[in-house]
Amino acid sequence: MNRSAVWHPFTQHALEPPMTRIRLTEGAYLIDTEGNRILDAISSWWVITHGHRHPVIMEAIGKAIETYDQIIFAEFSHEPAETLAEGLIEVAPAGLKHVFYSDSGSTAVEVAIKMALGYFHNQGELRDRIVVMEASYHGDTIGTMSAGERGVFNAAYQPLLFGVDRLAFPAAVNAQRTLDLFEDVCRSGRVAALLIEPLVLGAGGMKSYDAGVLSGLKEIAERYGSLFIADEVMTGWGRTGTMFACEQATITPDILCTSKGLTGGAVPLAATLCTSDIFDAHLSTDRRKTFFHSSSYTANPIACASAVANLDIWRSEPVLERIKNLEALQRQNLRRFADDERFANIRQAGTIAALDLVVPSKGYLAEVGPKMRRLFRERGLLIRPLGNVVYLMPPYCVTADDLGRAYDAIDEVASIVLETR
Ligand SMILES: *Cc1c(COP(=O)(O)O)cnc(C)c1O
């Protein structure tokens, strides 16, 4: 049995072969110590947007380390953090005016929940309920697990998780029901915030829904005085076809969380953006109304410089055009499975394509993901199905040939898996 000194995430060490050691990253590829080139078709867990080691980002990091390491971010500030905040406010949905830094998607969401609770607490209003959508994922801390879908992956921590209200996923036929449910919960007057992944629920199985639902939910939240938190940790930075998914519903959330693509995926950083109302509710000569949150590495200057470089790339390179091209490529490639009975729910949201492998039984479901993963790896591809959901979320630099190869592999792997059951 592999008793690895390094304990890897989401890894059952008793069932996995030793980890492949990567020596070099390059564009859409990971290159291992033996020189094998592995196509990173899931952007290294969704963080790499433009491609691995984009030169503008690497150069910015090189420059930042000449003058900075970590700087305490209370009492002090620095240019990369200030420039980044201005840049984020400029590109985010209009009306978001303040930027709070942390270091991961989970902490960005924790910060958002605390901002929402603090907003009402500081105004002496009793609102303590968080509403979420079924099948959502917001991170792996106790707070974000509480908000996310419950299952085998958080069963052990169940006793510590707080209760939230859950809305049914708005599948095409029951979208109105989701809105009605939300309005019902809001009537209690206790809802502090709706916390939601806009347009696509990522880890919950790449489930996508209509922009109309999003604007409908926002309208209800506004009408009942509840806050609207958009968890754009996965959807941000172009994944769904626009820089932020909220743009497609033409809404401005009260709070927006971003992380994964914020630095182009080069280094960890997160930001929680909010409106003036939320900032102002914490602005007081009464110290008890301070926003009590910090992490040691808040606004790391090297990470901020990397994110500033990412913004420069968005400004100076045709990123949205690349995204449109990738969208078109995904659409073309998906077509080949349109009448294929091995697959169901073929779907796309911007650059993200997903399809469900039709599996014979539920019990079979548990093994099908790891099995497909191994078969993809044998073909030089990093693809990690979520159960029977196969998805591709490549970096925007992926070529038509590479993407075609990924679809050929999906075709082949599906047949192998279904035949050897
Ligand atoms: C990945 C993810 C998170 C958590 O981000 P980490 O950086 O892994 O903590 C939160 N929300 C969404 C929607 C995500 O996809």
Side-chain angles (χ1 to χ4, degrees), residues 36-318:
N36 298 308
R37 294 171 62 81
I38 302 154
L39 179 67
D40 188 354
I42 59 161
S43 302
S44 277
W45 261 343
W46 322 344
V47 302
I48 303 293
T49 46
H50 312 293
H52 285 279
R53 283 192 308 120
H54 189 292
V56 172
I57 295 173
M58 292 299 111
E59 196 188 314
I61 291 173
K63 210 161 155 242
I65 61 174
E66 288 174 11
T67 46
Y68 303 115
D69 54 5
Q70 179 64 26
I71 302 162
I72 181 172
F73 206 58
E75 284 183 64
F76 298 93
S77 194
H78 47 75
E79 192 269 334
E82 300 284 342
T83 306
L84 178 58
E86 282 165 27
L88 287 175
I89 288 166
E90 218 174 275
V91 299
L96 293 166
K97 298 287 185 201
H98 303 274
V99 178
F100 192 94
Y101 293 113
S102 62
D103 19 55
S104 72
S106 301
T107 55
V109 175
E110 291 278 349
V111 163
I113 293 171
K114 285 175 71 174
M115 279 180 178
L117 271 286
Y119 172 81
F120 291 107
H121 176 84
N122 285 355
Q123 298 179 91
E125 188 174 347
L126 176 63
R127 280 186 185 253
D128 53 4
R129 298 296 299 177
I130 300 290
V131 182
V132 302
M133 202 177 261
E134 262 175 9
S136 61
Y137 177 80
H138 298 288
D140 273 341
T141 54
I142 294 290
T144 55
M145 278 193 299
S146 299
E149 188 64 26
R150 307 293 171 88
V152 63
F153 36 88
N154 50 33
Y157 328 113
Q158 182 74 25
L160 288 186
L161 304 185
F162 58 76
V164 296
D165 297 299
R166 295 176 195 277
L167 307 178
F169 179 79
V173 286
N174 69 358
Q176 187 55 44
R177 194 167 148 251
T178 303
L179 296 175
D180 293 344
L181 276 170
F182 184 45
E183 185 153 8
D184 279 350
V185 195
C186 281
R187 283 201 185 94
S188 68
R190 292 283 291 271
V191 175
L194 172 69
L195 165 62
I196 198 163
E197 296 168 82
L199 297 188
V200 186
L201 310 193
M206 298 300 157
K207 293 161 84 89
S208 60
Y209 62 93
D210 225 59
V213 176
L214 211 52
S215 45
L217 290 168
K218 175 70 172 81
E219 188 273 321
I220 294 166
E222 234 166 80
R223 194 144 40 84
Y224 286 89
S226 303
L227 298 174
F228 187 103
I229 305 172
D231 177 356
E232 293 243 19
V233 170
M234 186 279 278
T235 51
W237 306 103
R239 289 293 180 199
T240 69
T242 45
M243 188 184 270
F244 292 105
C246 283
E247 292 170 33
Q248 292 179 46
T250 55
I251 55 164
T252 297
D254 299 286
I255 303 175
L256 183 149
C257 310
T258 176
S259 181
K260 291 185 169 116
L262 173 57
T263 62
V267 283
L269 182 68
T272 306
L273 281 65
C274 71
T275 60
S276 300
D277 279 354
I278 289 163
F279 183 84
D280 290 351
H282 294 83
L283 190 64
S284 166
T285 51
D286 181 351
R287 284 194 190 276
R288 287 172 302 179
K289 294 192 173 178
T290 304
F291 185 54
F292 292 108
H293 191 96
S294 85
S295 28
S296 310
Y297 283 102
T298 296
N300 176 270
I302 298 152
C304 288
S306 176
V308 170
N310 174 43
L311 277 173
D312 286 343
I313 293 167
W314 273 87
R315 275 189 212 105
S316 61
E317 294 184 18

